[in-house]
Amino acid sequence: MRKPVRVVLTTLGVLIAVPVLLLATTAVVNVVATRSEASSITRYGQPVPVDGKRMNVVVAGSGAETIVLLPGLGTAAPALDFQPLITELQRTYRVVAVEPFGTGLSDPTDTDRTAANITREVHEALRHLGIDRYVLMGHSIAGIYAVTYAASYPDELVAFVGIDSSVPDQPGWDDLIPTGVIVGLSRLGVTRALAAIADDPYAGLPYDERTREQLRLLTAKNTAAPTMVNEMEHASANFASVSGKTFPKGLPVLLFVRSNDTDVADWVALHEQQAASVDTGEVVVLEGDHYLHHTLSPEIAQRTRAFLTARSLR
């Protein structure tokens, strides 16, 4: 009976050792690759001082009116991700794409990623640039930060434009993000290995090869880094901080909303309710994925111009 037992134990040992060895290998490869890739990341935009650190911003266009772009949660390189939309908007407006701490080329920070801290930091960056009147345009969770922002700096906002933006009290707002799993898979190199065999998420979109490569490098660098993980961990609390709140009634609000969202019940209706809570609110329903600006930037820019022009004529 001993021989079969030894065979079973040997087999089990091999079955355990192989994945352990594989994970050890991917973890080492991940560390080496991360260090190597750092030198391949190229500078863009301009750093501005915020809380003793550097926040990266990209300024494009020279229009009389300014649009400030804020990213969604998990966007590793906001200014590059917004590139198609910046190209369209800069024909009419001055466009400022802000990369909050922990994203793009901005420094990391130990300050908790609460909605209050994030909005204060963005405001400080804009103040450093001398920008005090602007349209705030935000994607995804930036819709939550915008509610906080509008309450803190109501005299500075001309309007809010949401790109499939989150709304207070939406279903699932209190779901926890499995940050431990995200960090663990990243440190073990599993995330990098899966990315290497997966399709390029930016393939076929209006990004050149150089930009796609920089997006890949910054995604590997920032996605599971402490600052972004901290923001993920504060997501539920940030939603809770604006529960039951709306934009100021006098703030014009334009919301671009994905028509075919299947993750959140009554997604379009929730935005219609938010638009109805202000004096001048409009919802534009578009068919596409959550990152509507990846494929529909021309339409988003055109409808934004029409909305803001009509407002200025009143």
Side-chain angles (χ1 to χ4, degrees):
M1 296 295 291
R2 291 182 179 179
K3 187 174 181 180
V5 171
R6 286 200 301 272
V7 171
V8 170
L9 291 177
T10 301
T11 303
L12 288 175
V14 171
L15 291 175
I16 293 171
V18 169
V20 169
L21 181 60
L22 179 62
L23 290 176
T25 302
T26 57
V28 171
V29 169
N30 182 61
V31 171
V32 173
T34 299
R35 290 175 180 171
S36 174
E37 290 171 349
S39 62
S40 299
I41 296 174
T42 57
R43 302 296 309 181
Y44 57 85
Q46 64 183 89
V48 297
V50 175
D51 283 358
K53 301 180 184 298
R54 296 174 304 171
M55 182 174 289
N56 195 58
V57 300
V58 168
V59 181
S62 56
E65 198 160 21
T66 299
I67 293 180
V68 174
L69 297 174
L70 294 182
L73 178 61
T75 303
L80 299 183
D81 183 82
F82 276 130
Q83 197 172 85
L85 185 56
I86 293 172
T87 298
E88 296 294 333
L89 291 173
Q90 69 179 357
R91 298 170 182 172
T92 307
Y93 305 99
R94 175 174 58 166
V95 184
V96 181
V98 179
E99 298 192 319
F101 286 138
T103 71
L105 298 181
S106 292
D107 288 341
T109 181
D110 294 330
T111 303
D112 281 337
R113 300 294 78 206
T114 64
N117 285 335
I118 290 171
T119 55
R120 176 186 57 78
E121 292 160 358
V122 169
H123 181 260
E124 186 174 335
L126 297 179
R127 185 172 61 84
H128 178 82
L129 294 170
I131 299 172
D132 56 10
R133 286 287 288 172
Y134 43 92
V135 175
L136 200 61
M137 178 180 280
H139 172 244
S140 197
I141 202 170
I144 298 303
Y145 301 154
V147 174
T148 301
Y149 203 105
S152 301
Y153 312 107
D155 295 336
E156 297 186 12
L157 295 189
V158 173
F160 172 70
V161 179
I163 304 172
D164 215 36
S165 50
S166 302
V167 297
D169 303 309
Q170 68 182 52
W173 68 266
D174 54 351
D175 291 346
L176 297 179
I177 300 174
T179 54
V181 175
I182 293 171
V183 173
L185 293 176
S186 177
R187 288 177 178 172
L188 289 171
V190 174
T191 303
R192 180 182 291 277
L194 292 175
I197 62 176
D199 293 334
D200 179 359
Y202 290 93
L205 298 176
Y207 300 86
D208 60 33
E209 185 176 348
R210 180 181 177 86
T211 301
R212 292 200 306 273
E213 175 64 7
Q214 291 300 305
L215 283 162
R216 183 188 69 79
L217 295 174
L218 288 166
T219 296
K221 173 180 177 290
N222 292 332
T223 300
T227 302
M228 192 172 290
V229 169
N230 186 274
E231 185 179 357
M232 295 177 188
E233 292 172 342
H234 279 83
S236 294
N238 286 334
F239 269 94
S241 70
V242 297
S243 178
K245 296 183 180 179
T246 61
F247 287 112
K249 286 191 67 65
L251 181 70
V253 172
L254 172 63
L255 303 174
F256 295 99
V257 186
R258 181 186 180 194
S259 65
N260 50 329
D261 187 283
T262 58
D263 296 327
V264 181
D266 301 319
W267 186 239
V268 174
L270 288 169
H271 289 81
E272 291 173 340
Q273 293 170 14
Q274 187 175 48
S277 70
V278 298
D279 294 334
T280 306
E282 181 179 338
V283 173
V284 177
V285 180
L286 300 173
E287 185 172 351
D289 67 16
H290 181 48
Y291 286 78
L292 292 171
H293 54 280
H294 285 176
T295 55
L296 298 170
S297 283
E299 184 167 357
I300 291 172
Q302 187 274 324
R303 297 296 291 264
T304 298
R305 282 192 291 269
F307 180 82
L308 296 177
T309 299
R311 174 191 167 276
S312 67
L313 293 177
R314 288 195 178 105

